[in-house]
Amino acid sequence: MKALVQRVSWARIEVEGQVVGAIEAGLLVLLGVAPADGTEEVERLGQKMLQLRIFHDEAGKMNRSVTETGGGLLVVSQFTLFADTRKGNRPSFTGAAPPDQARALYEAFVAYLRAQYPTGRTETGQFAAHMAVSLLNDGPVTLLLDTDTWNPTS
């Protein structure tokens, strides 16, 4: 799994001109699923994301997590994170999971976040829809998390 995580002052998703998900300060998460991904990746990525210390503390240092700040989460499916652009100019998306698998793991990821952070607001986009994403990136702080690059014991 890959997640492009952005610390935001606010973010929202529109589908056909209607807002389907919105948060105030928190994290906008663009989530991509690979064919080899499963529930282990869902839990590892969800845990890592909830514990990332990328919000400022009283001293102005990035030392607090989204759960400590009470921030929101807006999760958007994003198969294009697996684009392969090594050949030619048209990206290949064969590294992305098929839609049924991706949807199931996307929904499992959102359910995991809601279960682990029940006091927080977790919103979503609309899977497989053409979405308009609006945000105010705070910092900017943008991180790419990729479970394929993590040591299983870390």
Side-chain angles (χ1 to χ4, degrees):
M1 289 186 126
K2 291 183 184 182
L4 186 70
V5 179
Q6 297 180 342
R7 186 179 74 188
V8 297
S9 296
W10 60 266
R12 77 169 178 255
I13 305 294
E14 292 181 29
V15 175
E16 297 180 5
Q18 299 297 313
V19 175
V20 296
I23 62 168
E24 297 293 323
L27 298 176
L28 172 64
V29 181
L30 306 178
L31 182 72
V33 178
D37 290 336
T39 55
E40 180 181 331
E41 286 77 15
V42 165
E43 292 173 7
R44 288 175 61 215
L45 182 60
Q47 181 180 35
K48 174 69 92 174
M49 197 187 63
L50 290 173
Q51 295 175 353
L52 279 174
R53 296 177 0 181
I54 60 173
F55 291 88
H56 295 293
D57 63 13
E58 298 77 24
K61 296 190 186 268
M62 288 199 306
N63 204 24
R64 298 177 73 202
S65 68
V66 69
T67 60
E68 292 172 304
T69 64
L73 301 166
L74 180 55
V75 184
V76 181
S77 61
Q78 187 75 45
F79 75 94
T80 60
L81 289 175
F82 284 96
D84 183 351
T85 59
R86 292 176 292 183
K87 289 183 171 180
N89 295 317
R90 183 177 179 175
S92 169
F93 300 106
T94 58
D100 289 343
Q101 177 191 5
R103 180 188 300 268
L105 290 174
Y106 168 76
E107 290 173 356
F109 183 75
V110 171
Y112 178 86
L113 295 176
R114 287 178 172 153
Q116 297 301 310
Y117 184 33
T119 59
R121 181 178 183 150
T122 302
E123 297 280 321
T124 65
Q126 185 175 325
F127 190 88
H130 182 90
M131 295 175 272
V133 181
S134 302
L135 67 131
L136 180 58
N137 196 318
D138 178 21
V141 175
T142 303
L143 305 172
L144 180 60
L145 306 178
D146 185 345
T147 59
D148 282 348
T149 64
W150 296 349
N151 181 336
T153 60
S154 62

